Amino acid sequence: MAYIQIINGPNLNLLGRRRPDIYGQSTLDDINDELRGRFAATELRFAQSNSEGTIIEAIHAAGFDSECLGIVLNAGAYTHYSYAIADAIEAVDVPVVEVHISNIHAREDFRNRSVIAPVCRGSIAGFGKYSYFLAIEAILHA
């Protein structure tokens, strides 16, 4: 069965506790449950890791799976410096949509640059948890 893989990177397991003024009150489980409810007709698979290598392996696994429609990736801080994750995205066969809960372009200088954006199908930032919803819609309808 076709599915969309959602991959969350470092510190996203702390949603709801870490900087709720920026990242909101919802936990990662809350967001995943909302996504399951909104996209009940689509299989969604979820992964979260604080480890760069594990994220790369998840990209490879989904990205070469003929059943995978696409990947929604919130790479967290790896967004700004992980050329290894960028290389993994560039190598896979499915579209990858970069997401961020906050508007990375309106924050600290180091957050303004994404090294993964050039190899992603698109980027969505600043819509809180709804960035994930928009990314899934983009994969389903692009």
Side-chain angles (χ1 to χ4, degrees):
M1 177 177 186
Y3 68 94
I4 295 174
Q5 179 69 56
I6 300 163
I7 301 171
N8 285 286
N11 299 310
L12 289 156
N13 56 308
L14 300 178
L15 286 176
R17 290 193 278 176
R18 178 178 175 246
R19 301 291 312 262
D21 55 316
I22 293 175
Y23 301 112
Q25 301 289 329
S26 297
T27 67
L28 188 57
D29 287 339
D30 293 338
I31 294 170
N32 292 347
D33 288 344
E34 285 188 56
L35 292 172
R36 282 185 194 99
R38 168 66 175 84
F39 297 98
T42 304
E43 181 181 350
L44 302 177
R45 298 182 185 176
F46 300 93
Q48 186 281 323
S49 179
N50 296 316
S51 168
E52 185 178 33
T54 303
I55 293 167
I56 291 167
E57 290 170 359
I59 292 167
H60 291 170
F64 292 113
D65 183 347
S66 63
E67 296 294 316
C68 184
L69 300 171
I71 297 170
V72 174
L73 174 63
N74 185 339
Y78 289 132
T79 297
H80 313 294
Y81 66 88
S82 179
Y83 294 101
I85 289 176
D87 287 347
I89 294 166
E90 186 177 40
V92 298
D93 297 332
V94 302
V96 177
V97 178
E98 171 187 18
V99 300
H100 299 284
I101 293 170
S102 68
N103 180 353
I104 63 172
H105 305 290
R107 296 194 54 204
E108 303 92 339
D109 287 343
F110 79 91
R111 294 187 198 275
N112 292 177
R113 182 163 186 266
S114 168
V115 301
I116 67 172
V119 293
C120 288
R121 173 72 55 91
S123 300
I124 301 169
F127 294 98
K129 64 185 177 183
Y130 299 104
S131 294
Y132 292 92
F133 290 73
L134 294 168
I136 293 169
E137 289 287 351
I139 289 170
L140 291 173
H141 301 290

